[in-house]
C-alpha cells in the first residue's frame, strides 16, 4: 500500500475535487479534511492538525441538511418519523456508503501502523472522512455549497434509503 502525505493530498487536489464534484477555494481545507489522527502522531514535524474538528462540524452540517430536506420534502411526516429517517441518513453506515461512492479513501494519509492494519478499508475512517469533507466544504463555500455537494452526489441514495422500510428488530 502506497504512502500518501499531506503534501501529496494538496498536489492531487484537482483529482480529488473531480471525485467530489466540488472545487475548493482553500486547498488547505481540502487537504486537512483527509488527514487522519494517526498520520499526525507520526509526522508532527510537518503536520500539526488532523480532520477530527472538521468531522465534528461536518456531522452537524450533514444533520441540518438532511433535517431541512425531510422537513421540506415530506410535509406529512411526523417528527418521530423524520427523526428516524434523519438518523438512518446520517449514521456511520450511510456516511461509509457515501465515501465509498466517491472513491476517495486512497487519499487519506495514515500512519505506518494504521496502513499495516488495513486502515484505508476501515469503516470508521471512511465515515469520519466523509463528515470531515462536508465540514470543509461548509467552511470553504457555505451551506449552499454543502447542500449542492450532498444532493448532487447522493440524491438517489438518499431517496432510496427513505423509500426502504425501517428494520423491525422484534
Amino acid at each position: 500500500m502506497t504512502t500518501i502525505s499531506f503534501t501529496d493530498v494538496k498536489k492531487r487536489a484537482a483529482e480529488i475535487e473531480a471525485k467530489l464534484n466540488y472545487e475548493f477555494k482553500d486547498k488547505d481545507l481540502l487537504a486537512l479534511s483527509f488527514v487522519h489522527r494517526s498520520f499526525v502522531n507520526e509526522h508532527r514535524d510537518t503536520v500539526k492538525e488532523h480532520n477530527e474538528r472538521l468531522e465534528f462540524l461536518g456531522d452537524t452540517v450533514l444533520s441540518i441538511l438532511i433535517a431541512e430536506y425531510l422537513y421540506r420534502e415530506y410535509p406529512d411526516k411526523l417528527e418521530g418519523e423524520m427523526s428516524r429517517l434523519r438518523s438512518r441518513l446520517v449514521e456511520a453506515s450511510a456516511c461509509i456508503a457515501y465515501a465509498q461512492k466517491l472513491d476517495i479513501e486512497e487519499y487519506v494519509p495514515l500512519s505506518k501502523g494504521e496502513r499495516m492494519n488495513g486502515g484505508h478499508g476501515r469503516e470508521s475512517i471512511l465515515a469520519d472522512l466523509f463528515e470531515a469533507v462536508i465540514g470543509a466544504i461548509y467552511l470553504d463555500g457555505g451551506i449552499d455549497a454543502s447542500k449542492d455537494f450532498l444532493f448532487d452526489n447522493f440524491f438517489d441514495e438518499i431517496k432510496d434509503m427513505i423509500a426502504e422500510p425501517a428494520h423491525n428488530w422484534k
Side-chain angles (χ1 to χ4, degrees):
M1 183 176 295
T2 26
T3 305
I4 188 163
S5 72
F6 182 73
T7 306
D8 294 333
V9 175
K10 286 168 112 176
K11 286 179 184 172
R12 295 174 75 184
E15 197 178 312
I16 298 167
E17 290 169 332
K19 289 185 175 214
L20 298 176
N21 195 25
Y22 178 80
E23 186 175 339
F24 278 82
K25 296 175 213 73
D26 183 348
K27 305 300 185 204
D28 287 338
L29 273 174
L30 168 64
L32 178 60
S33 72
F34 280 79
V35 178
H36 188 260
R37 173 189 285 271
S38 68
F39 184 81
V40 174
N41 291 339
E42 283 187 2
H43 298 90
R44 290 192 188 279
D45 53 328
T46 57
V47 182
K48 306 289 185 228
E49 200 176 353
H50 48 75
N51 68 0
E52 288 178 7
R53 289 173 44 86
L54 283 174
E55 173 197 340
F56 165 79
L57 179 60
D59 177 61
T60 300
V61 172
L62 177 61
S63 187
I64 287 170
L65 292 174
I66 293 296
E68 178 189 8
Y69 174 76
L70 293 171
Y71 180 85
R72 291 185 187 281
E73 295 298 317
Y74 298 93
D76 296 335
K77 291 202 184 297
L78 299 174
E79 182 269 340
E81 188 175 0
M82 287 191 301
S83 290
R84 282 187 293 283
L85 285 171
R86 181 188 62 211
S87 178
R88 285 179 55 209
L89 294 166
V90 303
E91 70 186 3
S93 63
C95 290
I96 292 162
Y98 302 147
Q100 288 172 331
K101 180 181 179 187
L102 293 171
D103 191 28
I104 54 175
E105 60 268 19
E106 72 182 89
Y107 304 103
V108 178
L110 297 170
S111 68
K112 182 179 179 184
E114 194 66 53
R115 285 192 315 274
M116 288 174 56
N117 289 328
H120 280 114
R122 284 229 338 252
E123 293 183 339
S124 64
I125 291 174
L126 293 177
D128 296 348
L129 169 62
F130 182 75
E131 291 174 341
V133 167
I134 287 261
I137 291 171
Y138 173 77
L139 290 177
D140 189 69
I143 197 70
D144 289 335
S146 305
K147 185 186 287 187
D148 290 346
F149 165 75
L150 180 66
F151 292 105
D152 288 352
N153 286 307
F154 308 106
F155 182 76
D156 291 339
E157 288 78 6
I158 290 167
K159 291 292 278 182
D160 289 347
M161 281 189 261
I162 290 170
E164 198 175 281
H167 297 290
N168 184 347
W169 299 106
K170 290 185 179 184

